[in-house]
Amino acid sequence: MSLLEVRELSAGYGDFQALFDLDITVDEGKTLAIIGANGAGKTTLLRALAGVVPAMSGSVRFDGEDLLAIPAHKRVERGISMVPEGRQLFPSLNVRENLQIGAYSGRPGEWTVDRVVEIFPLLERLLDRPSDVLSGGEKQAVAIGRALMSNPHLMLLDEVSLGLAPVVVKQVYAALPAITGTGTTVLVVEQDIAQATAVADDLVCLLEGRVRLQGTPAELTREQITSAYFGIEAAS
Ligand code: ATP
């Protein structure tokens, strides 16, 4: 059974519709990369799944439940954890405390501060530092670690690479197999098409709020992907 089944999902902000009739299915333990140009609706999709943007119509089944009936504050308990763009750590708390806050939902599972440090060794010497002195990449690792501490079944990662040095992006993506290996499904918004293709089991390309293309990286050509990304009609 699929972990996440999105059917004809429309969502937006007030009267403004940002997503139109999305159909997306993701299996347990898989990584789905969501690509698309600025304003395509990638972040809105993650927000709609986290419950911070209301759905206008459609349905979402998550782990056998009707997700749209579950209020946003209950979705973390149900196993959905979002790493928002801009990371949003608590600046006055140290790294260890930021990580521990992620565990507040009390979901059982294997993630501990020590396990997070295993997949992000760069955090070991930073555990007692206030999070506001960290570099962008270090903050990203803490933000992902904090999300993992809730033992999510579905992790929503927004704009992972944004503003990070390539070497740091590599470290963040190197942690993915350890995350999906525990059965966690990952939805990752990624601007970099090559990066998305390299890490994902499935790709969805959004264009102006609609699914323009989806498939596995192996079945999609680079030309198909770039055409969908930029909204160019593919040459026949
Ligand atoms: P980006 O890479 O620029 O973040 P995106 O694909 O994530 O792009 P969204 O941020 O989901 O796109 O935006 C989709 C549409 O919704 C855009 O037209 C955007 O202007 C609009 N939008 C996003 N956030 C809000 C908001 N808080 N209020 C109103 N409209 C919004």
Side-chain angles (χ1 to χ4, degrees):
M1 192 186 67
S2 299
L3 181 71
L4 182 72
E5 287 179 12
V6 176
R7 291 285 164 265
E8 296 182 32
L9 178 68
S10 295
Y13 304 89
D15 290 340
F16 178 76
Q17 188 170 350
L19 300 179
F20 299 81
D21 300 323
L22 301 191
D23 282 313
I24 295 169
T25 301
V26 200
D27 289 341
E28 190 170 57
K30 298 291 182 192
T31 299
L32 172 76
I34 302 157
I35 60 173
N38 284 341
K42 308 179 296 293
T43 299
T44 306
L45 171 59
L46 298 194
R47 287 184 185 147
L49 297 174
V52 290
V53 167
M56 292 169 164
S57 58
S59 68
V60 180
R61 281 199 86 70
F62 170 68
D63 217 356
E65 280 193 289
D66 173 7
L67 185 67
L68 300 182
I70 300 171
H73 67 277
K74 295 271 186 200
R75 293 192 195 184
V76 178
E77 286 168 32
R78 293 303 212 285
I80 295 186
S81 190
M82 179 149 170
V83 181
E85 191 182 337
R87 346 247 201 245
Q88 297 174 8
L89 301 180
F90 295 97
S92 61
L93 300 185
N94 68 31
V95 167
R96 187 192 312 276
E97 290 162 338
N98 266 287
L99 291 173
Q100 284 166 340
I101 277 178
Y104 77 94
S105 68
R107 278 176 61 79
E110 67 170 70
W111 290 100
T112 58
V113 171
D114 287 347
R115 265 297 277 139
V116 170
V117 169
E118 267 174 43
I119 65 161
F120 292 122
L122 77 165
L123 295 183
E124 187 164 17
R125 61 183 179 83
L126 302 174
L127 285 175
D128 297 316
R129 298 246 185 105
S131 63
D132 59 352
V133 304
L134 306 184
S135 71
E138 290 162 351
K139 283 183 181 156
Q140 182 67 282
V142 178
I144 295 173
R146 185 179 58 184
L148 290 172
M149 291 287 287
S150 72
N151 292 302
H153 210 168
L154 175 66
M155 190 158 77
L156 308 171
L157 280 174
D158 202 1
E159 303 275 8
V160 177
S161 314
L162 199 73
L164 300 186
V167 57
V168 179
V169 174
K170 214 170 153 192
Q171 283 177 29
V172 168
Y173 278 113
L176 263 189
I179 296 170
T180 53
T182 66
T184 299
T185 298
V186 176
L187 261 60
V188 56
V189 166
E190 178 55 70
Q191 288 275 6
D192 180 336
I193 297 176
Q195 186 66 256
T197 314
V199 300
D201 298 298
D202 293 289
L203 278 177
V204 163
C205 182
L206 297 183
L207 180 71
E208 295 174 358
R210 293 183 162 83
V211 173
R212 178 69 186 238
L213 186 73
Q214 60 181 314
T216 66
E219 68 197 17
L220 301 174
T221 64
R222 197 164 173 81
E223 189 189 23
Q224 279 177 311
I225 296 171
T226 45
S227 303
Y229 191 101
F230 294 108
I232 306 161
E233 288 303 323
S236 53

